[in-house]
Amino acid sequence: MEQRIGANSQPLEGAGFDPAFVPGLTSPAPAEPQDAEPRDAGAADAEVKAADAKAAEVKAVEAEEADAVEPKAEDAADDDEAEPAGGPVFEAADRRARIVADATGVRLSLDEEKCEFRWDEIGAVETETPRFGKRFTITVHTPDRRWYPIEIEATARSRFTEWEEQLDAVLDAYFDEGADASDDDTDTDAEEARA
């Protein structure tokens, strides 16, 4: 019978013991041929300086382009967030959801998803206050029988009445105006048809 003297275990391999084991985690070192002549240190420094200069030029051009684009994006954001002069605005938000109703219409957002409705695209706006809990539900109904609910978590149940009053003021100011204008147009058309 043969016996071996020493450790009988094989060394462990894998990502737990060697981070270089995971492909793509570290970049492989460039292999230089063994018969290659040593490079001149001055030439290597010149190449590094040229590469740094080119990288600096690219960064400068990118910074100029970014500066040219940023003001346009900021102006667009300011236009979107600008409140109409003199009109009521309803806004409610929590950590995930947000609703804004103003003269332009109703905007809903949940996390990264957003939708916007003009007043002529809205059939009805419905609110629901829960019997228990602090989630205020607002549902926007469209004329094509679709609905878009959103829940806003209130800090206290007392906010529900405040939000109801603010939303009613916005709906009275903007939503009913569109309905009245369309009723007036219908009455005028009916009178012209009779004449």
Side-chain angles (χ1 to χ4, degrees):
M1 178 184 248
E2 279 185 45
Q3 288 187 351
R4 290 188 178 175
I5 299 174
N8 198 14
S9 64
Q10 296 290 329
L12 297 175
E13 293 180 7
F17 297 98
D18 184 12
F21 187 78
V22 177
L25 189 61
T26 59
S27 62
E32 292 188 23
Q34 293 177 354
D35 61 342
E37 296 178 12
R39 297 173 69 178
D40 183 22
D45 289 340
E47 289 177 11
V48 170
K49 287 180 183 178
D52 289 343
K54 188 170 186 173
E57 289 176 23
V58 169
K59 286 182 182 179
V61 170
E62 289 175 355
E64 289 176 11
E65 291 174 359
D67 289 342
V69 172
E70 280 182 18
K72 294 177 185 176
E74 289 173 1
D75 292 342
D78 291 342
D79 292 342
D80 290 344
E81 295 176 3
E83 294 182 8
V89 175
F90 169 71
E91 184 172 347
D94 64 6
R95 59 186 167 81
R96 292 186 61 205
R98 177 185 182 99
I99 180 171
V100 177
D102 56 15
T104 59
V106 177
R107 291 180 298 282
L108 306 174
S109 61
L110 179 64
D111 294 331
E112 299 297 319
E113 301 297 320
K114 297 179 182 182
C115 61
E116 184 172 338
F117 303 97
R118 295 186 318 264
W119 288 112
D120 61 340
E121 297 175 329
I122 298 174
V125 177
E126 177 184 15
T127 61
E128 182 181 346
T129 57
R131 187 170 180 186
F132 303 105
K134 296 189 282 185
R135 292 203 163 268
F136 184 69
T137 305
I138 300 171
T139 306
V140 177
H141 295 271
T142 60
D144 59 350
R145 297 180 186 221
R146 293 182 184 259
W147 60 92
Y148 302 88
I150 191 163
E151 290 183 339
I152 307 289
E153 187 172 344
T155 54
R157 289 186 54 85
S158 60
R159 295 291 308 251
F160 292 162
T161 56
E162 177 186 334
W163 285 347
E164 287 274 356
E165 291 171 0
Q166 290 176 356
L167 184 59
D168 284 343
V170 170
L171 292 174
D172 289 343
Y174 304 118
F175 186 66
D176 290 340
E177 274 183 13
D180 292 342
S182 64
D183 290 343
D184 293 341
D185 292 342
T186 308
D187 293 342
T188 306
D189 292 341
E191 288 175 12
E192 290 176 1
R194 288 184 208 148

